Amino acid sequence: MNDVFKALADPTRRAILEMLREREMTAGDIADCFTLAKPTLSGHLAVLLAADLVHRERIGTTLVYHLKLSVLEEAWLRLASTMRLGKSDPSCSTDTAPASPSR
Amino acid sequence: MNDVFKALADPTRRAILEMLREREMTAGDIADCFTLAKPTLSGHLAVLLAADLVHRERIGTTLVYHLKLSVLEEAWLRLASTMRLGKSDPSCSTDTAPASPSR
DNA sequence: TGTTTATTTTGGTAATTTGCTAAATAGCGA
DNA sequence: TCGCTATTTAGCAAATTACCAAAATAAACA
C-alpha cells in the first residue's frame, strides 16, 4: 500500500506504467524510451516490482515486464474508501508513529 | 499532478488527509494526533498545501485546514484515464527527461 | 568452453526528504 | 505596548533516493 504510493511518486515510474498499460515490454525496450542509463531504469523497475505493480518473466535472455493493473486499482480503492465512505469521527486514531519516543 | 503523488507518498500525510476527510481541523488539532513535533507537522501541511490537496484559512490565531477532495479525485482520474482508456501505442513518447545530455 | 547479448548488481556521489530544536511571526487581549 | 497562544520559518543532522560507470550474472549459441 505504502509501496504503491511511493512508486507512483516518481514521474519516470509513472511513465513506465503508462507505457506498460497496453503492451508488455522488455527492460531494454523500456530503457530505450528514456534518456536515463539502463541501470537507472533497472532500479525504477525494481521499485515497481517491489510495489507489485508489475510482473516480470524471463524469456531467454530478456526480461519482459507487464503491468498489474489490479494492484493499482486496489490501492486507489483503499484510499478512496478511507477517504469518502469512512465511518465516523477522525479524532486521533490514525497516527502512523504511535507513542514511541524513539529519537 | 506530480506534487499530488509526491504528497501521497508519505503515510503521515495520507493520515492527515484521512482525518481531514470529514471535519476541518486546526494545525494544533492535527499535531495533537501525532507524536511528531509541531514544526514537522507544519512541514507536512506545507507539502499538502503546495499540492493543493488542502486549503487553509486563518481564524484569529489559528489556521484551519480542510481537504480539497476534488483535487485528489482529479489526480486519480488523470492517472486512470491515461492508464486504461489511453488512445494508442506507447512507443516512446512519454519520456520525462527528453534528449538533453545535461549530466 | 568461450563469446555475445540482455539485464541487474555494486559502489559511489549529489540531491531530496524527514525529523528535530530554537527562533521568528501573527493575532489577541490586558 | 507587553505578554500569551498558535503556528511557521530557519538551520541542521540523518536517512533515503536517483543517478551513473563498471563489474557481475544469465541465457543462448558457436
Side-chain angles (χ1 to χ4, degrees):
Chain A
M1 170 74 162
N2 190 31
D3 291 336
V4 173
F5 285 108
K6 276 202 178 161
L8 288 175
D10 187 280
T12 299
R13 287 193 292 263
R14 287 199 305 275
I16 293 173
L17 293 177
E18 286 178 26
M19 296 190 315
L20 246 33
R21 130 197 74 138
E22 295 211 332
R23 76 160 165 214
E24 52 186 29
M25 299 172 83
T26 70
D29 288 343
I30 295 169
D32 290 343
C33 292
F34 295 87
T35 49
L36 300 171
K38 280 179 182 175
T40 302
L41 264 296
S42 183
H44 283 306
L45 289 170
V47 172
L48 294 174
L49 197 62
D52 200 33
L53 282 167
V54 301
H55 172 257
R56 88 174 160 198
E57 189 184 358
R58 178 176 285 280
I59 307 232
T61 52
T62 70
L63 289 175
V64 181
Y65 286 85
H66 71 78
L67 184 59
K68 291 177 74 172
L69 253 189
S70 57
V71 177
L72 187 57
E73 274 174 4
E74 195 203 325
W76 173 255
L77 290 178
R78 288 268 289 277
L79 183 71
S81 77
T82 325
M83 228 52 172
R84 305 185 202 180
L85 319 159
K87 309 109 212 165
S88 44
D89 74 309
S91 37
C92 306
S93 49
T94 14
D95 193 339
T96 310
S100 48
S102 47
R103 262 197 192 175
Chain B
M1 169 76 163
N2 190 32
D3 290 337
V4 173
F5 285 108
K6 275 201 179 163
L8 288 175
D10 185 281
T12 298
R13 286 193 292 264
R14 286 199 306 275
I16 293 174
L17 292 177
E18 287 178 27
M19 295 191 315
L20 246 34
R21 127 197 77 138
E22 295 212 329
R23 76 161 165 214
E24 53 185 29
M25 298 172 85
T26 70
D29 288 342
I30 295 169
D32 290 342
C33 291
F34 294 87
T35 48
L36 300 171
K38 280 178 181 175
T40 301
L41 264 298
S42 182
H44 282 304
L45 289 170
V47 172
L48 293 174
L49 197 61
D52 199 33
L53 282 167
V54 301
H55 171 258
R56 88 173 160 198
E57 189 185 357
R58 177 175 286 280
I59 306 231
T61 52
T62 70
L63 289 176
V64 181
Y65 287 84
H66 71 79
L67 183 58
K68 292 177 74 171
L69 253 190
S70 56
V71 177
L72 187 57
E73 274 174 5
E74 196 204 323
W76 172 254
L77 290 178
R78 288 267 289 278
L79 183 71
S81 77
T82 325
M83 228 54 171
R84 303 185 204 178
L85 320 159
K87 309 109 211 164
S88 45
D89 75 308
S91 37
C92 306
S93 50
T94 14
D95 193 338
T96 310
S100 47
S102 48
R103 266 197 191 174

